[in-house]
Amino acid sequence: MRAEHATYACGAALGFLGDLLAADPRRGHPVAAFGRAATAVEARLWRDHRGHGAVHALLCAGGATAGAALLRRAVRGPAPVPSPA
């Protein structure tokens, strides 16, 4: 088995066991927090206009992407910079 496959299998098994032990938290679930944040942004920005919807979508998608990048950086450190060819 290649090292990448073993790492993936270990991570998947640990995630599965963690889910069995902790299950979904009743409070503080990350998806529920994202939903509350998206609803709050929508409540402030909503207008019957395409531009406002686009800003809402960009804020939600950008926020989720930025959060994932920050979490990745916190867990793995900065992403490696590719060397020029």
Side-chain angles (χ1 to χ4, degrees):
M1 181 180 287
R2 291 176 37 191
E4 300 92 35
H5 294 146
T7 301
Y8 177 81
C10 251
L14 286 173
F16 179 72
L17 289 174
D19 193 41
L20 285 177
L21 293 173
D24 286 337
R26 292 191 181 269
R27 295 189 308 173
H29 196 283
V31 175
F34 175 80
R36 283 191 301 277
T39 300
V41 169
E42 183 181 26
R44 291 198 180 267
L45 291 180
W46 190 88
R47 306 286 183 279
D48 192 13
H49 187 271
R50 183 179 293 170
H52 287 272
V55 169
H56 178 259
L58 286 172
L59 285 173
C60 290
T65 303
L70 289 172
L71 183 62
R72 182 201 182 278
R73 173 167 263 201
V75 172
R76 292 188 175 178
V81 178
S83 60

